[in-house]
Amino acid sequence: MARSDEHALNGPFLATGEAATPCQHPDCGEAGNYRAPVGRDRPNEFYRFCLEHVRAYNKEWDYYRGMSLDEIEKERGRDATWQRPTWRLGGASPHAFTEDDKVVDPLGVFSARQARSRARARTRKLSEEEKALDTLGLKLPCGLSEVRTRYKELVKRLHPDANGGDRAAEERLKLVNHAYSTLKAFYA
């Protein structure tokens, strides 16, 4: 493939709409038609160089110069999401408003939305598995081994021999046994 003229190859990097600026390299009288970044902390500022000096500058350019390895890894991690904020999947959305937010809401739109979502959360019926986890005093996420460990603890504590025949403990033990069988079937 034959090379095109110099302007076609370097068009995006040429200074546009301005009078010819001299090259900013000391002792150079050429026209500074090519832009080079001033630094990573000033993304919209550029040096103006001639073609020879912009090539030399670009060979020496190091975006990460002066950063520690931890800072470089942090920067690369932020680049993975295009420098945009993220949150955990299933976690609180950044759009959920709290009372601490300084949102001016003269019509009460956001507070009404928040009240509706709270009411929906309160009235939602729990599944059998969620009720069983609640009976055992566990929360998701948990595995069968955690359920089994908690079940053994409760059986030892609520067993009639350990409680001197206490009827309340016996009823609680029945609920724990039912919850364990529900979760055992769920995890199986």
Side-chain angles (χ1 to χ4, degrees):
M1 178 175 168
R3 287 199 150 204
S4 306
D5 65 329
E6 198 68 30
H7 180 73
L9 291 173
N10 296 308
F13 304 103
L14 290 172
T16 56
E18 296 180 18
T21 308
C23 178
Q24 289 181 308
H25 193 274
D27 303 326
C28 182
E30 296 285 321
N33 291 331
Y34 301 93
R35 300 183 313 172
V38 171
R40 72 174 169 268
D41 55 338
R42 299 186 293 185
N44 296 324
E45 295 181 32
F46 301 95
Y47 293 121
R48 305 295 180 131
F49 291 122
C50 63
L51 183 59
E52 176 185 344
H53 290 123
V54 80
R55 285 180 176 162
Y57 182 84
N58 285 341
K59 279 185 182 179
E60 297 298 318
W61 170 255
D62 181 8
Y63 179 83
Y64 298 110
R65 182 177 291 142
M67 294 174 84
S68 69
L69 288 177
D70 290 337
E71 291 171 327
I72 292 171
E73 285 303 314
K74 185 184 236 181
E75 183 77 13
R76 291 182 65 210
R78 288 185 47 209
D79 283 342
T81 58
W82 300 281
Q83 307 285 336
R84 304 289 297 171
T86 61
W87 53 93
R88 293 183 61 83
L89 185 64
S93 167
H95 305 295
F97 293 99
T98 64
E99 288 78 19
D100 297 338
D101 291 333
K102 305 295 182 211
V103 176
V104 178
D105 185 21
L107 300 176
V109 173
F110 297 118
S111 58
R113 181 184 303 155
Q114 188 177 23
R116 282 192 306 269
S117 69
R118 282 187 189 147
R120 247 185 271 122
R122 282 193 303 263
T123 60
R124 185 179 76 83
K125 291 187 177 182
L126 296 177
S127 69
E128 288 298 317
E129 291 80 18
E130 289 172 320
K131 288 178 187 176
L133 284 171
D134 189 47
T135 301
L136 295 179
L138 296 172
K139 292 186 188 261
L140 286 175
C142 66
L144 182 59
S145 62
E146 294 155 338
V147 170
R148 191 174 289 134
T149 303
R150 180 67 177 155
Y151 171 71
K152 287 179 182 179
E153 291 172 9
L154 290 174
V155 165
K156 286 179 185 176
R157 189 173 354 140
L158 298 173
H159 195 275
D161 292 341
N163 290 305
D166 182 18
R167 289 282 185 208
E170 192 175 327
E171 291 302 317
R172 175 97 167 98
L173 180 61
K174 288 179 185 178
L175 293 173
V176 167
N177 284 331
H178 178 69
Y180 179 67
S181 61
T182 301
L183 291 173
K184 195 168 145 186
F186 176 73
Y187 283 112

